[in-house]
């Protein structure tokens, strides 16, 4: 357990892929954390990653990493079909866990690991880094102050056109490929943050490609008081990657909302305020600092990205996939 008078959380990284590298680079900027150890399925991969990111402790297995008594928190950076088992390995060793989004591939898996964490009073959080970016914090401040009146509609999309690589993770159903879990979770989580409740109705359509995964989709979520969210995602189609929050008195525009650096407030047809983040990191720093803050305060979950909300979001993903008749091979 991390003590309040300790200066920095010692982080372990489980996995050595691209997202692990992004997190490792950003940890340099964290005020309350430092990178301490990395674990991979081979000593060679772990050592290569450690050399690249100047990590002192190197482990050639996940089990060795989680059993290091000096590791306070572990960032799980493996592909999402492996998240449940990897997170449980960390939790069973008594470690705090930050798991890269999507938390798991379905709500049954997520409820299993959340139940274990709560039963054993261990910290667990989904790595939805967008929630902790300064521009998104500013958006929440504007909304709480009623700057755009009553929020009526959210529109958000995130998509890119990848090359035709049928064996790649994104197009491989055996690796949980497709747009929904990889990029679609961003606009869905964004809508959840804005409306703060589960939708009363979900309507969706998707294009299922040759490999059997969703290549693009659009979802309409309907909430109480007739509020709506129109959300799109794609891995074989270029989208604008922006979000609009529209209210009765104005709107908020967020270019590149998933890694937002600039947000603008519009009232009466004019831009009345703009916020630009001058951060020196990609932005993963802020979610790491949130984990550190929670651990130092003795919390077992973040009030910003709660476990119940993560479960509710995953249930939306489940329902959407159900509408498409899309199940991954490992789901049975």
């Amino acid at each position: 357990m991390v003590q309040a008078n300790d200066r920095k959380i010692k982080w372990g990284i489980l996995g050595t892929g691209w997202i692990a590298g992004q997190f490792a680079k950003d940890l340099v900027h964290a005020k309350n954390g430092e990178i301490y150890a990395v674990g991979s399925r081979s000593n060679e991969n772990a050592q290569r990653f450690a050399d690249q990111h100047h990590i002192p402790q190197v482990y050639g297995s996940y089990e060795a990493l989680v059993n290091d008594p000096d590791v306070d928190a572990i960032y799980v950076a493996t592909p999402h079909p492996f998240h449940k088992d990897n997170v449980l390995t960390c939790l069973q060793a008594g470690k705090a866990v930050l798991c890269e989004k999507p938390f798991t591939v379905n709500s049954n898996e997520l409820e299993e690991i959340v139940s274990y964490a709560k039963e054993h009073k261990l910290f667990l959080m989904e790595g939805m880094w967008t929630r902790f970016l300064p521009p998104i914090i500013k958006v929440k401040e504007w909304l709480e102050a009623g700057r755009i009146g009553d929020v009526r509609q959210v529109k958000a999309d995130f998509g890119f056109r990848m090359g035709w690589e049928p064996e790649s993770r994104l197009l491989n159903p055996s690796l949980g490929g497709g747009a929904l879990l990889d990029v679609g979770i961003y606009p869905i989580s964004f809508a959840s943050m804005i409306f703060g409740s589960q939708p009363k109705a979900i309507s969706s359509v998707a294009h299922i490609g040759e490999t059997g995964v969703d290549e693009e989709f659009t979802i309409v979520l309907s909430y109480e008081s007739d509020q709506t969210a129109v959300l799109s995602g794609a891995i074989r189609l270029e989208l604008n990657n922006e979000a609009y929050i529209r209210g009765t008195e104005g709107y908020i525009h967020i270019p590149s909302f998933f890694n937002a650096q600039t947000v603008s407030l519009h009232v009466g047809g004019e831009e009345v305020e703009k916020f630009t983040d001058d951060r020196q990191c990609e932005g993963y720093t802020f979610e790491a600092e949130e984990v550190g803050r929670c651990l130092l305060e003795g919390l077992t979950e973040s009030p910003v990205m709660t476990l119940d909300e993560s479960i509710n979001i995953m249930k939306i993903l489940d329902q959407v996939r159900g509408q498409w008749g899309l199940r991954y091979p490992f789901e049975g």
Side-chain angles (χ1 to χ4, degrees):
M1 175 64 71
V2 181
Q3 299 300 313
N5 59 353
D6 287 347
R7 291 179 59 194
K8 292 202 172 183
I9 303 298
K10 287 188 174 181
W11 280 92
I13 297 180
L14 191 152
T16 56
W18 179 83
I19 196 69
Q22 295 298 106
F23 187 81
K25 287 189 290 186
D26 265 19
L27 266 181
V28 173
H29 302 279
K31 296 182 178 67
N32 59 8
E34 61 184 355
I35 190 166
Y36 169 74
V38 61
S40 183
R41 289 175 294 183
S42 73
N43 279 308
E44 181 181 6
N45 283 343
Q47 190 62 60
R48 172 189 54 79
F49 191 88
D51 291 343
Q52 184 177 0
H53 298 286
H54 311 290
I55 303 173
Q57 292 297 319
V58 181
Y59 295 106
S61 72
Y62 298 154
E63 290 73 21
L65 170 68
V66 304
N67 286 313
D68 183 330
D70 291 326
V71 171
D72 299 311
I74 294 178
Y75 173 60
V76 172
T78 52
H80 39 269
F82 309 114
H83 284 178
K84 187 196 82 166
D85 289 343
N86 295 157
V87 169
L88 281 175
T89 295
C90 298
L91 293 175
Q92 288 165 357
K95 301 302 184 185
V97 179
L98 171 67
C99 181
E100 178 57 28
K101 63 80 202 164
F103 227 146
T104 54
V105 296
N106 57 52
S107 59
N108 287 337
E109 288 189 350
L110 183 52
E111 286 174 337
E112 182 179 344
I113 63 175
V114 167
S115 176
Y116 187 95
K118 288 185 175 182
E119 179 183 354
H120 294 84
K121 296 180 174 56
L122 295 167
F123 181 88
L124 178 63
M125 188 180 92
E126 180 179 12
M128 180 50 69
W129 67 311
T130 301
R131 293 290 177 100
F132 305 96
L133 299 176
I136 300 302
I137 301 300
K138 175 58 68 174
V139 167
K140 293 170 70 175
E141 290 175 0
W142 287 342
L143 293 175
E144 289 168 3
R147 299 289 298 276
I148 62 170
D150 297 330
V151 175
R152 304 300 309 154
Q153 184 187 83
V154 167
K155 285 189 176 182
D157 60 67
F158 183 11
F160 56 88
R161 180 168 175 80
M162 65 174 291
W164 180 244
E165 303 169 23
E167 299 305 317
S168 68
R169 178 185 67 81
L170 285 174
L171 293 176
N172 188 342
S174 295
L175 291 176
L180 183 66
L181 293 190
D182 196 81
V183 296
I185 190 170
Y186 281 104
I188 293 170
S189 182
F190 185 79
S192 176
M193 180 189 75
I194 300 304
F195 290 122
S197 64
Q198 283 293 81
K200 64 179 183 181
I202 300 173
S203 176
S204 67
V205 62
H207 169 66
I208 307 298
E210 291 180 28
T211 64
V213 304
D214 57 301
E215 294 186 359
E216 73 229 24
F217 69 83
T218 295
I219 300 170
V220 177
L221 304 179
S222 303
Y223 296 83
E224 297 298 333
S225 303
D226 300 320
Q227 298 164 309
T228 58
V230 182
L231 316 169
S232 298
I235 53 174
R236 295 273 291 155
L237 191 68
E238 288 283 351
L239 300 180
N240 289 331
N241 301 340
E242 62 185 356
Y244 284 90
I245 308 167
R246 299 190 180 275
T248 53
E249 304 296 330
Y251 69 91
I252 296 169
H253 179 217
I254 314 169
S256 193
F257 76 97
F258 64 95
N259 64 352
Q261 290 190 294
T262 299
V263 294
S264 58
L265 174 67
H266 301 254
V267 178
E270 297 183 359
E271 180 181 287
V272 298
E273 192 170 337
K274 188 172 185 177
F275 175 86
T276 299
D277 183 18
D278 61 355
R279 63 180 183 261
Q280 301 301 306
C281 61
E282 288 294 324
Y284 299 93
T285 301
F286 305 112
E287 66 176 359
E289 289 181 338
E290 172 69 1
V291 175
R293 182 188 69 80
C294 290
L295 292 178
L296 292 170
E297 293 181 9
L299 303 178
T300 55
E301 66 178 293
S302 165
V304 177
M305 188 75 246
T306 68
L307 295 173
D308 285 345
E309 186 182 3
S310 289
I311 290 173
N312 286 338
I313 291 168
M314 189 58 64
K315 286 181 177 179
I316 295 174
L317 300 179
D318 287 352
Q319 188 169 337
V320 167
R321 281 204 293 128
Q323 292 180 0
W324 303 340
L326 177 58
R327 292 182 65 84
Y328 302 115
F330 50 82
E331 290 183 295

mmCIF file with all atom_site columns, all heavy atoms in Angstrom, residues 8 24-33 279-282 285 289:
data_model
loop_
_atom_site.group_PDB
_atom_site.id
_atom_site.type_symbol
_atom_site.label_atom_id
_atom_site.label_alt_id
_atom_site.label_comp_id
_atom_site.label_asym_id
_atom_site.label_entity_id
_atom_site.label_seq_id
_atom_site.pdbx_PDB_ins_code
_atom_site.Cartn_x
_atom_site.Cartn_y
_atom_site.Cartn_z
_atom_site.occupancy
_atom_site.B_iso_or_equiv
_atom_site.pdbx_formal_charge
_atom_site.auth_seq_id
_atom_site.auth_comp_id
_atom_site.auth_asym_id
_atom_site.auth_atom_id
_atom_site.pdbx_PDB_model_num
ATOM 1   N N   . LYS A 1 8   ? 6.434  9.306  -4.797  1.00 0.00 ? 8   LYS A N   1
ATOM 2   C CA  . LYS A 1 8   ? 5.993  8.885  -6.117  1.00 0.00 ? 8   LYS A CA  1
ATOM 3   C C   . LYS A 1 8   ? 5.526  7.433  -6.129  1.00 0.00 ? 8   LYS A C   1
ATOM 4   O O   . LYS A 1 8   ? 6.094  6.588  -5.440  1.00 0.00 ? 8   LYS A O   1
ATOM 5   C CB  . LYS A 1 8   ? 7.117  9.073  -7.140  1.00 0.00 ? 8   LYS A CB  1
ATOM 6   C CG  . LYS A 1 8   ? 7.458  10.530 -7.399  1.00 0.00 ? 8   LYS A CG  1
ATOM 7   C CD  . LYS A 1 8   ? 8.152  10.696 -8.731  1.00 0.00 ? 8   LYS A CD  1
ATOM 8   C CE  . LYS A 1 8   ? 8.303  12.177 -9.062  1.00 0.00 ? 8   LYS A CE  1
ATOM 9   N NZ  . LYS A 1 8   ? 8.907  12.372 -10.398 1.00 0.00 ? 8   LYS A NZ  1
ATOM 10  N N   . ALA A 1 24  ? 4.621  4.984  -21.227 1.00 0.00 ? 24  ALA A N   1
ATOM 11  C CA  . ALA A 1 24  ? 5.950  5.075  -20.605 1.00 0.00 ? 24  ALA A CA  1
ATOM 12  C C   . ALA A 1 24  ? 6.571  6.449  -20.834 1.00 0.00 ? 24  ALA A C   1
ATOM 13  O O   . ALA A 1 24  ? 7.159  7.048  -19.921 1.00 0.00 ? 24  ALA A O   1
ATOM 14  C CB  . ALA A 1 24  ? 6.859  3.978  -21.162 1.00 0.00 ? 24  ALA A CB  1
ATOM 15  N N   . LYS A 1 25  ? 6.451  6.972  -22.045 1.00 0.00 ? 25  LYS A N   1
ATOM 16  C CA  . LYS A 1 25  ? 7.006  8.303  -22.345 1.00 0.00 ? 25  LYS A CA  1
ATOM 17  C C   . LYS A 1 25  ? 6.322  9.390  -21.527 1.00 0.00 ? 25  LYS A C   1
ATOM 18  O O   . LYS A 1 25  ? 6.967  10.336 -21.071 1.00 0.00 ? 25  LYS A O   1
ATOM 19  C CB  . LYS A 1 25  ? 6.882  8.599  -23.840 1.00 0.00 ? 25  LYS A CB  1
ATOM 20  C CG  . LYS A 1 25  ? 7.849  7.820  -24.711 1.00 0.00 ? 25  LYS A CG  1
ATOM 21  C CD  . LYS A 1 25  ? 7.840  8.294  -26.146 1.00 0.00 ? 25  LYS A CD  1
ATOM 22  C CE  . LYS A 1 25  ? 6.558  7.940  -26.854 1.00 0.00 ? 25  LYS A CE  1
ATOM 23  N NZ  . LYS A 1 25  ? 6.631  8.285  -28.316 1.00 0.00 ? 25  LYS A NZ  1
ATOM 24  N N   . ASP A 1 26  ? 5.017  9.238  -21.336 1.00 0.00 ? 26  ASP A N   1
ATOM 25  C CA  . ASP A 1 26  ? 4.274  10.264 -20.598 1.00 0.00 ? 26  ASP A CA  1
ATOM 26  C C   . ASP A 1 26  ? 4.508  10.204 -19.096 1.00 0.00 ? 26  ASP A C   1
ATOM 27  O O   . ASP A 1 26  ? 4.356  11.210 -18.399 1.00 0.00 ? 26  ASP A O   1
ATOM 28  C CB  . ASP A 1 26  ? 2.774  10.132 -20.892 1.00 0.00 ? 26  ASP A CB  1
ATOM 29  C CG  . ASP A 1 26  ? 2.343  11.068 -22.013 1.00 0.00 ? 26  ASP A CG  1
ATOM 30  O OD1 . ASP A 1 26  ? 3.222  11.519 -22.777 1.00 0.00 ? 26  ASP A OD1 1
ATOM 31  O OD2 . ASP A 1 26  ? 1.140  11.345 -22.123 1.00 0.00 ? 26  ASP A OD2 1
ATOM 32  N N   . LEU A 1 27  ? 4.867  9.038  -18.576 1.00 0.00 ? 27  LEU A N   1
ATOM 33  C CA  . LEU A 1 27  ? 5.105  8.927  -17.132 1.00 0.00 ? 27  LEU A CA  1
ATOM 34  C C   . LEU A 1 27  ? 6.245  9.827  -16.667 1.00 0.00 ? 27  LEU A C   1
ATOM 35  O O   . LEU A 1 27  ? 6.312  10.193 -15.491 1.00 0.00 ? 27  LEU A O   1
ATOM 36  C CB  . LEU A 1 27  ? 5.411  7.470  -16.750 1.00 0.00 ? 27  LEU A CB  1
ATOM 37  C CG  . LEU A 1 27  ? 4.237  6.618  -16.285 1.00 0.00 ? 27  LEU A CG  1
ATOM 38  C CD1 . LEU A 1 27  ? 4.700  5.221  -15.928 1.00 0.00 ? 27  LEU A CD1 1
ATOM 39  C CD2 . LEU A 1 27  ? 3.546  7.254  -15.083 1.00 0.00 ? 27  LEU A CD2 1
ATOM 40  N N   . VAL A 1 28  ? 7.128  10.181 -17.579 1.00 0.00 ? 28  VAL A N   1
ATOM 41  C CA  . VAL A 1 28  ? 8.234  11.091 -17.243 1.00 0.00 ? 28  VAL A CA  1
ATOM 42  C C   . VAL A 1 28  ? 7.688  12.418 -16.708 1.00 0.00 ? 28  VAL A C   1
ATOM 43  O O   . VAL A 1 28  ? 8.318  13.073 -15.878 1.00 0.00 ? 28  VAL A O   1
ATOM 44  C CB  . VAL A 1 28  ? 9.117  11.328 -18.482 1.00 0.00 ? 28  VAL A CB  1
ATOM 45  C CG1 . VAL A 1 28  ? 10.174 12.394 -18.201 1.00 0.00 ? 28  VAL A CG1 1
ATOM 46  C CG2 . VAL A 1 28  ? 9.772  10.025 -18.920 1.00 0.00 ? 28  VAL A CG2 1
ATOM 47  N N   . HIS A 1 29  ? 6.498  12.801 -17.168 1.00 0.00 ? 29  HIS A N   1
ATOM 48  C CA  . HIS A 1 29  ? 5.911  14.088 -16.793 1.00 0.00 ? 29  HIS A CA  1
ATOM 49  C C   . HIS A 1 29  ? 5.005  14.006 -15.564 1.00 0.00 ? 29  HIS A C   1
ATOM 50  O O   . HIS A 1 29  ? 4.527  15.039 -15.097 1.00 0.00 ? 29  HIS A O   1
ATOM 51  C CB  . HIS A 1 29  ? 5.101  14.644 -17.960 1.00 0.00 ? 29  HIS A CB  1
ATOM 52  C CG  . HIS A 1 29  ? 5.909  14.834 -19.213 1.00 0.00 ? 29  HIS A CG  1
ATOM 53  N ND1 . HIS A 1 29  ? 6.715  15.929 -19.432 1.00 0.00 ? 29  HIS A ND1 1
ATOM 54  C CD2 . HIS A 1 29  ? 6.048  14.049 -20.317 1.00 0.00 ? 29  HIS A CD2 1
ATOM 55  C CE1 . HIS A 1 29  ? 7.308  15.829 -20.610 1.00 0.00 ? 29  HIS A CE1 1
ATOM 56  N NE2 . HIS A 1 29  ? 6.917  14.701 -21.166 1.00 0.00 ? 29  HIS A NE2 1
ATOM 57  N N   . ALA A 1 30  ? 4.748  12.809 -15.060 1.00 0.00 ? 30  ALA A N   1
ATOM 58  C CA  . ALA A 1 30  ? 3.826  12.653 -13.931 1.00 0.00 ? 30  ALA A CA  1
ATOM 59  C C   . ALA A 1 30  ? 4.449  13.191 -12.648 1.00 0.00 ? 30  ALA A C   1
ATOM 60  O O   . ALA A 1 30  ? 5.586  12.859 -12.310 1.00 0.00 ? 30  ALA A O   1
ATOM 61  C CB  . ALA A 1 30  ? 3.432  11.197 -13.757 1.00 0.00 ? 30  ALA A CB  1
ATOM 62  N N   . LYS A 1 31  ? 3.679  14.006 -11.937 1.00 0.00 ? 31  LYS A N   1
ATOM 63  C CA  . LYS A 1 31  ? 4.186  14.602 -10.705 1.00 0.00 ? 31  LYS A CA  1
ATOM 64  C C   . LYS A 1 31  ? 4.246  13.598 -9.556  1.00 0.00 ? 31  LYS A C   1
ATOM 65  O O   . LYS A 1 31  ? 5.065  13.751 -8.645  1.00 0.00 ? 31  LYS A O   1
ATOM 66  C CB  . LYS A 1 31  ? 3.303  15.788 -10.303 1.00 0.00 ? 31  LYS A CB  1
ATOM 67  C CG  . LYS A 1 31  ? 3.305  16.941 -11.294 1.00 0.00 ? 31  LYS A CG  1
ATOM 68  C CD  . LYS A 1 31  ? 2.430  18.080 -10.786 1.00 0.00 ? 31  LYS A CD  1
ATOM 69  C CE  . LYS A 1 31  ? 2.442  19.268 -11.738 1.00 0.00 ? 31  LYS A CE  1
ATOM 70  N NZ  . LYS A 1 31  ? 1.800  18.957 -13.026 1.00 0.00 ? 31  LYS A NZ  1
ATOM 71  N N   . ASN A 1 32  ? 3.374  12.602 -9.571  1.00 0.00 ? 32  ASN A N   1
ATOM 72  C CA  . ASN A 1 32  ? 3.301  11.686 -8.426  1.00 0.00 ? 32  ASN A CA  1
ATOM 73  C C   . ASN A 1 32  ? 3.612  10.243 -8.802  1.00 0.00 ? 32  ASN A C   1
ATOM 74  O O   . ASN A 1 32  ? 3.279  9.327  -8.061  1.00 0.00 ? 32  ASN A O   1
ATOM 75  C CB  . ASN A 1 32  ? 1.922  11.762 -7.772  1.00 0.00 ? 32  ASN A CB  1
ATOM 76  C CG  . ASN A 1 32  ? 0.796  11.403 -8.732  1.00 0.00 ? 32  ASN A CG  1
ATOM 77  O OD1 . ASN A 1 32  ? 1.041  10.951 -9.850  1.00 0.00 ? 32  ASN A OD1 1
ATOM 78  N ND2 . ASN A 1 32  ? -0.437 11.587 -8.299  1.00 0.00 ? 32  ASN A ND2 1
ATOM 79  N N   . GLY A 1 33  ? 4.250  10.034 -9.954  1.00 0.00 ? 33  GLY A N   1
ATOM 80  C CA  . GLY A 1 33  ? 4.563  8.670  -10.360 1.00 0.00 ? 33  GLY A CA  1
ATOM 81  C C   . GLY A 1 33  ? 5.850  8.579  -11.157 1.00 0.00 ? 33  GLY A C   1
ATOM 82  O O   . GLY A 1 33  ? 6.339  9.580  -11.701 1.00 0.00 ? 33  GLY A O   1
ATOM 83  N N   . ARG A 1 279 ? 0.141  21.428 -22.981 1.00 0.00 ? 279 ARG A N   1
ATOM 84  C CA  . ARG A 1 279 ? 0.850  20.324 -22.337 1.00 0.00 ? 279 ARG A CA  1
ATOM 85  C C   . ARG A 1 279 ? 2.067  19.867 -23.146 1.00 0.00 ? 279 ARG A C   1
ATOM 86  O O   . ARG A 1 279 ? 2.090  19.965 -24.375 1.00 0.00 ? 279 ARG A O   1
ATOM 87  C CB  . ARG A 1 279 ? -0.099 19.142 -22.114 1.00 0.00 ? 279 ARG A CB  1
ATOM 88  C CG  . ARG A 1 279 ? -0.668 18.509 -23.379 1.00 0.00 ? 279 ARG A CG  1
ATOM 89  C CD  . ARG A 1 279 ? -1.591 17.351 -23.009 1.00 0.00 ? 279 ARG A CD  1
ATOM 90  N NE  . ARG A 1 279 ? -2.128 16.642 -24.151 1.00 0.00 ? 279 ARG A NE  1
ATOM 91  C CZ  . ARG A 1 279 ? -3.331 16.824 -24.664 1.00 0.00 ? 279 ARG A CZ  1
ATOM 92  N NH1 . ARG A 1 279 ? -4.152 17.731 -24.123 1.00 0.00 ? 279 ARG A NH1 1
ATOM 93  N NH2 . ARG A 1 279 ? -3.746 16.115 -25.701 1.00 0.00 ? 279 ARG A NH2 1
ATOM 94  N N   . GLN A 1 280 ? 3.061  19.353 -22.432 1.00 0.00 ? 280 GLN A N   1
ATOM 95  C CA  . GLN A 1 280 ? 4.290  18.878 -23.045 1.00 0.00 ? 280 GLN A CA  1
ATOM 96  C C   . GLN A 1 280 ? 4.297  17.372 -23.225 1.00 0.00 ? 280 GLN A C   1
ATOM 97  O O   . GLN A 1 280 ? 5.321  16.784 -23.554 1.00 0.00 ? 280 GLN A O   1
ATOM 98  C CB  . GLN A 1 280 ? 5.489  19.294 -22.177 1.00 0.00 ? 280 GLN A CB  1
ATOM 99  C CG  . GLN A 1 280 ? 5.604  20.789 -21.973 1.00 0.00 ? 280 GLN A CG  1
ATOM 100 C CD  . GLN A 1 280 ? 5.749  21.538 -23.291 1.00 0.00 ? 280 GLN A CD  1
ATOM 101 O OE1 . GLN A 1 280 ? 6.634  21.240 -24.079 1.00 0.00 ? 280 GLN A OE1 1
ATOM 102 N NE2 . GLN A 1 280 ? 4.869  22.508 -23.530 1.00 0.00 ? 280 GLN A NE2 1
ATOM 103 N N   . CYS A 1 281 ? 3.150  16.737 -23.014 1.00 0.00 ? 281 CYS A N   1
ATOM 104 C CA  . CYS A 1 281 ? 3.032  15.289 -23.126 1.00 0.00 ? 281 CYS A CA  1
ATOM 105 C C   . CYS A 1 281 ? 1.857  14.959 -24.037 1.00 0.00 ? 281 CYS A C   1
ATOM 106 O O   . CYS A 1 281 ? 1.101  15.837 -24.441 1.00 0.00 ? 281 CYS A O   1
ATOM 107 C CB  . CYS A 1 281 ? 2.831  14.662 -21.747 1.00 0.00 ? 281 CYS A CB  1
ATOM 108 S SG  . CYS A 1 281 ? 1.326  15.248 -20.915 1.00 0.00 ? 281 CYS A SG  1
ATOM 109 N N   . GLU A 1 282 ? 1.695  13.684 -24.366 1.00 0.00 ? 282 GLU A N   1
ATOM 110 C CA  . GLU A 1 282 ? 0.553  13.270 -25.175 1.00 0.00 ? 282 GLU A CA  1
ATOM 111 C C   . GLU A 1 282 ? -0.752 13.429 -24.396 1.00 0.00 ? 282 GLU A C   1
ATOM 112 O O   . GLU A 1 282 ? -1.777 13.782 -24.939 1.00 0.00 ? 282 GLU A O   1
ATOM 113 C CB  . GLU A 1 282 ? 0.715  11.816 -25.614 1.00 0.00 ? 282 GLU A CB  1
ATOM 114 C CG  . GLU A 1 282 ? 1.774  11.591 -26.678 1.00 0.00 ? 282 GLU A CG  1
ATOM 115 C CD  . GLU A 1 282 ? 1.433  12.245 -28.002 1.00 0.00 ? 282 GLU A CD  1
ATOM 116 O OE1 . GLU A 1 282 ? 0.242  12.280 -28.368 1.00 0.00 ? 282 GLU A OE1 1
ATOM 117 O OE2 . GLU A 1 282 ? 2.352  12.735 -28.671 1.00 0.00 ? 282 GLU A OE2 1
ATOM 118 N N   . THR A 1 285 ? -0.280 11.210 -19.085 1.00 0.00 ? 285 THR A N   1
ATOM 119 C CA  . THR A 1 285 ? 0.201  11.666 -17.783 1.00 0.00 ? 285 THR A CA  1
ATOM 120 C C   . THR A 1 285 ? -0.941 11.885 -16.801 1.00 0.00 ? 285 THR A C   1
ATOM 121 O O   . THR A 1 285 ? -0.848 11.504 -15.626 1.00 0.00 ? 285 THR A O   1
ATOM 122 C CB  . THR A 1 285 ? 0.974  12.988 -17.949 1.00 0.00 ? 285 THR A CB  1
ATOM 123 O OG1 . THR A 1 285 ? 2.067  12.786 -18.829 1.00 0.00 ? 285 THR A OG1 1
ATOM 124 C CG2 . THR A 1 285 ? 1.476  13.502 -16.616 1.00 0.00 ? 285 THR A CG2 1
ATOM 125 N N   . GLU A 1 289 ? -1.613 10.350 -13.110 1.00 0.00 ? 289 GLU A N   1
ATOM 126 C CA  . GLU A 1 289 ? -1.657 11.188 -11.908 1.00 0.00 ? 289 GLU A CA  1
ATOM 127 C C   . GLU A 1 289 ? -2.961 10.975 -11.134 1.00 0.00 ? 289 GLU A C   1
ATOM 128 O O   . GLU A 1 289 ? -2.956 11.052 -9.898  1.00 0.00 ? 289 GLU A O   1
ATOM 129 C CB  . GLU A 1 289 ? -1.493 12.648 -12.296 1.00 0.00 ? 289 GLU A CB  1
ATOM 130 C CG  . GLU A 1 289 ? -0.082 12.986 -12.755 1.00 0.00 ? 289 GLU A CG  1
ATOM 131 C CD  . GLU A 1 289 ? 0.097  14.450 -13.115 1.00 0.00 ? 289 GLU A CD  1
ATOM 132 O OE1 . GLU A 1 289 ? -0.912 15.126 -13.407 1.00 0.00 ? 289 GLU A OE1 1
ATOM 133 O OE2 . GLU A 1 289 ? 1.257  14.915 -13.117 1.00 0.00 ? 289 GLU A OE2 1
#
